[in-house]
Short mmCIF file of all heavy atoms in Angstrom, two decimals:
data_model
loop_
_atom_site.label_atom_id
_atom_site.label_comp_id
_atom_site.label_asym_id
_atom_site.label_seq_id
_atom_site.Cartn_x
_atom_site.Cartn_y
_atom_site.Cartn_z
N ARG A 214 -6.46 -16.38 5.36
CA ARG A 214 -5.47 -17.43 5.05
C ARG A 214 -5.95 -18.17 3.82
O ARG A 214 -7.14 -18.09 3.46
CB ARG A 214 -5.28 -18.37 6.24
CG ARG A 214 -6.51 -19.18 6.55
CD ARG A 214 -6.37 -19.93 7.89
NE ARG A 214 -7.65 -20.54 8.24
CZ ARG A 214 -8.03 -21.76 7.83
NH1 ARG A 214 -7.23 -22.51 7.09
NH2 ARG A 214 -9.22 -22.24 8.15
N VAL A 215 -5.04 -18.88 3.17
CA VAL A 215 -5.37 -19.60 1.95
C VAL A 215 -5.46 -21.09 2.27
O VAL A 215 -4.59 -21.64 2.96
CB VAL A 215 -4.33 -19.32 0.84
CG1 VAL A 215 -4.60 -20.15 -0.40
CG2 VAL A 215 -4.34 -17.83 0.49
N LEU A 216 -6.53 -21.73 1.80
CA LEU A 216 -6.75 -23.16 2.08
C LEU A 216 -5.75 -24.03 1.32
O LEU A 216 -5.02 -23.57 0.44
CB LEU A 216 -8.17 -23.56 1.68
CG LEU A 216 -9.32 -22.85 2.42
CD1 LEU A 216 -10.67 -23.44 1.98
CD2 LEU A 216 -9.15 -22.96 3.94
N ASP A 217 -5.76 -25.33 1.64
CA ASP A 217 -4.83 -26.28 1.03
C ASP A 217 -5.02 -26.43 -0.47
O ASP A 217 -4.14 -26.91 -1.17
CB ASP A 217 -4.97 -27.66 1.69
CG ASP A 217 -4.39 -27.67 3.10
OD1 ASP A 217 -3.55 -26.78 3.39
OD2 ASP A 217 -4.78 -28.54 3.90
N ASP A 218 -6.19 -26.00 -0.99
CA ASP A 218 -6.39 -26.05 -2.45
C ASP A 218 -5.53 -24.99 -3.15
O ASP A 218 -5.55 -24.88 -4.38
CB ASP A 218 -7.87 -25.91 -2.83
CG ASP A 218 -8.46 -24.53 -2.49
OD1 ASP A 218 -7.69 -23.58 -2.23
OD2 ASP A 218 -9.70 -24.40 -2.51
N LYS A 219 -4.80 -24.19 -2.38
CA LYS A 219 -3.86 -23.17 -2.88
C LYS A 219 -4.55 -21.93 -3.45
O LYS A 219 -3.89 -21.01 -3.91
CB LYS A 219 -2.91 -23.75 -3.95
CG LYS A 219 -2.03 -24.89 -3.50
CD LYS A 219 -0.83 -24.38 -2.74
CE LYS A 219 0.35 -25.33 -2.80
NZ LYS A 219 0.08 -26.64 -2.18
N TRP A 220 -5.87 -21.89 -3.46
CA TRP A 220 -6.60 -20.76 -4.02
C TRP A 220 -7.52 -20.07 -3.02
O TRP A 220 -7.42 -18.88 -2.82
CB TRP A 220 -7.43 -21.20 -5.25
CG TRP A 220 -6.61 -21.37 -6.47
CD1 TRP A 220 -6.18 -22.56 -7.01
CD2 TRP A 220 -6.09 -20.33 -7.32
NE1 TRP A 220 -5.42 -22.31 -8.13
CE2 TRP A 220 -5.36 -20.96 -8.34
CE3 TRP A 220 -6.17 -18.94 -7.30
CZ2 TRP A 220 -4.72 -20.24 -9.34
CZ3 TRP A 220 -5.53 -18.21 -8.30
CH2 TRP A 220 -4.81 -18.87 -9.31
N THR A 221 -8.43 -20.87 -2.43
CA THR A 221 -9.51 -20.27 -1.65
C THR A 221 -8.97 -19.48 -0.46
O THR A 221 -8.35 -20.05 0.44
CB THR A 221 -10.45 -21.36 -1.13
OG1 THR A 221 -10.77 -22.25 -2.20
CG2 THR A 221 -11.74 -20.74 -0.57
N ALA A 222 -9.21 -18.18 -0.45
CA ALA A 222 -8.83 -17.35 0.70
C ALA A 222 -10.04 -17.27 1.63
O ALA A 222 -11.16 -17.00 1.17
CB ALA A 222 -8.42 -15.96 0.24
N VAL A 223 -9.82 -17.52 2.91
CA VAL A 223 -10.90 -17.47 3.90
C VAL A 223 -10.50 -16.53 5.03
O VAL A 223 -9.32 -16.28 5.26
CB VAL A 223 -11.21 -18.88 4.49
CG1 VAL A 223 -11.68 -19.83 3.41
CG2 VAL A 223 -10.01 -19.45 5.24
N THR A 224 -11.51 -16.04 5.74
CA THR A 224 -11.19 -15.19 6.89
C THR A 224 -10.61 -16.08 8.00
O THR A 224 -11.05 -17.21 8.20
CB THR A 224 -12.45 -14.46 7.43
OG1 THR A 224 -13.46 -15.43 7.77
CG2 THR A 224 -13.01 -13.51 6.39
N GLN A 225 -9.65 -15.52 8.69
CA GLN A 225 -8.99 -16.26 9.79
C GLN A 225 -10.01 -16.57 10.90
O GLN A 225 -9.98 -17.65 11.47
CB GLN A 225 -7.86 -15.36 10.32
CG GLN A 225 -6.81 -16.04 11.13
CD GLN A 225 -5.88 -16.91 10.31
OE1 GLN A 225 -5.96 -18.14 10.36
NE2 GLN A 225 -5.01 -16.28 9.54
N ASP A 226 -10.92 -15.65 11.16
CA ASP A 226 -11.87 -15.84 12.27
C ASP A 226 -13.17 -16.51 11.84
O ASP A 226 -14.08 -16.70 12.65
CB ASP A 226 -12.15 -14.49 12.97
CG ASP A 226 -12.74 -13.44 12.04
OD1 ASP A 226 -13.22 -13.80 10.93
OD2 ASP A 226 -12.74 -12.25 12.42
N GLY A 227 -13.28 -16.89 10.57
CA GLY A 227 -14.47 -17.61 10.12
C GLY A 227 -15.70 -16.75 9.90
O GLY A 227 -16.77 -17.26 9.54
N LYS A 228 -15.56 -15.44 10.09
CA LYS A 228 -16.71 -14.55 9.87
C LYS A 228 -16.86 -14.24 8.38
O LYS A 228 -15.88 -14.34 7.63
CB LYS A 228 -16.54 -13.27 10.70
CG LYS A 228 -16.58 -13.58 12.18
CD LYS A 228 -16.83 -12.35 13.01
CE LYS A 228 -17.00 -12.74 14.47
NZ LYS A 228 -16.68 -11.64 15.37
N PRO A 229 -18.05 -13.84 7.95
CA PRO A 229 -18.27 -13.64 6.52
C PRO A 229 -17.50 -12.46 5.93
O PRO A 229 -17.08 -11.55 6.64
CB PRO A 229 -19.78 -13.40 6.42
CG PRO A 229 -20.26 -13.10 7.78
CD PRO A 229 -19.29 -13.69 8.74
N SER A 230 -17.37 -12.52 4.61
CA SER A 230 -16.65 -11.49 3.85
C SER A 230 -17.40 -11.23 2.56
O SER A 230 -17.98 -12.15 1.97
CB SER A 230 -15.24 -12.01 3.54
OG SER A 230 -14.49 -11.05 2.84
N ALA A 231 -17.40 -9.99 2.10
CA ALA A 231 -18.07 -9.64 0.84
C ALA A 231 -17.06 -9.00 -0.12
O ALA A 231 -16.02 -8.48 0.32
CB ALA A 231 -19.23 -8.69 1.10
N HIS A 232 -17.39 -9.02 -1.40
CA HIS A 232 -16.45 -8.58 -2.45
C HIS A 232 -17.24 -8.02 -3.63
O HIS A 232 -18.17 -8.68 -4.12
CB HIS A 232 -15.64 -9.81 -2.89
CG HIS A 232 -14.68 -9.59 -4.02
ND1 HIS A 232 -14.46 -10.57 -4.98
CD2 HIS A 232 -13.89 -8.55 -4.35
CE1 HIS A 232 -13.56 -10.13 -5.84
NE2 HIS A 232 -13.19 -8.90 -5.49
N PHE A 233 -16.90 -6.82 -4.04
CA PHE A 233 -17.46 -6.25 -5.28
C PHE A 233 -16.30 -5.69 -6.10
O PHE A 233 -15.31 -5.21 -5.54
CB PHE A 233 -18.44 -5.11 -4.97
CG PHE A 233 -19.79 -5.58 -4.49
CD1 PHE A 233 -20.00 -5.88 -3.16
CD2 PHE A 233 -20.85 -5.73 -5.39
CE1 PHE A 233 -21.25 -6.32 -2.71
CE2 PHE A 233 -22.09 -6.16 -4.95
CZ PHE A 233 -22.29 -6.46 -3.61
N GLU A 234 -16.45 -5.72 -7.41
CA GLU A 234 -15.37 -5.24 -8.29
C GLU A 234 -15.95 -4.61 -9.56
O GLU A 234 -16.91 -5.14 -10.13
CB GLU A 234 -14.47 -6.41 -8.68
CG GLU A 234 -13.36 -6.05 -9.66
CD GLU A 234 -12.41 -7.22 -9.95
OE1 GLU A 234 -12.82 -8.39 -9.75
OE2 GLU A 234 -11.28 -6.97 -10.38
N HIS A 235 -15.37 -3.49 -9.96
CA HIS A 235 -15.64 -2.88 -11.25
C HIS A 235 -14.32 -2.51 -11.91
O HIS A 235 -13.35 -2.18 -11.22
CB HIS A 235 -16.42 -1.56 -11.09
CG HIS A 235 -17.91 -1.68 -11.12
ND1 HIS A 235 -18.60 -2.33 -12.12
CD2 HIS A 235 -18.85 -1.19 -10.27
CE1 HIS A 235 -19.90 -2.23 -11.88
NE2 HIS A 235 -20.08 -1.56 -10.77
N CYS A 236 -14.31 -2.48 -13.24
CA CYS A 236 -13.21 -1.84 -13.97
C CYS A 236 -13.61 -0.40 -14.25
O CYS A 236 -14.75 -0.13 -14.67
CB CYS A 236 -12.95 -2.55 -15.30
SG CYS A 236 -12.27 -4.18 -15.09
#
Side-chain angles (χ1 to χ4, degrees):
R214 66 190 172 87
V215 175
L216 298 184
D217 288 339
D218 66 15
K219 300 279 206 297
W220 283 102
T221 313
V223 299
T224 57
Q225 198 73 253
D226 59 16
K228 294 198 175 156
S230 182
H232 176 216
F233 283 84
E234 177 176 22
H235 269 308
C236 291

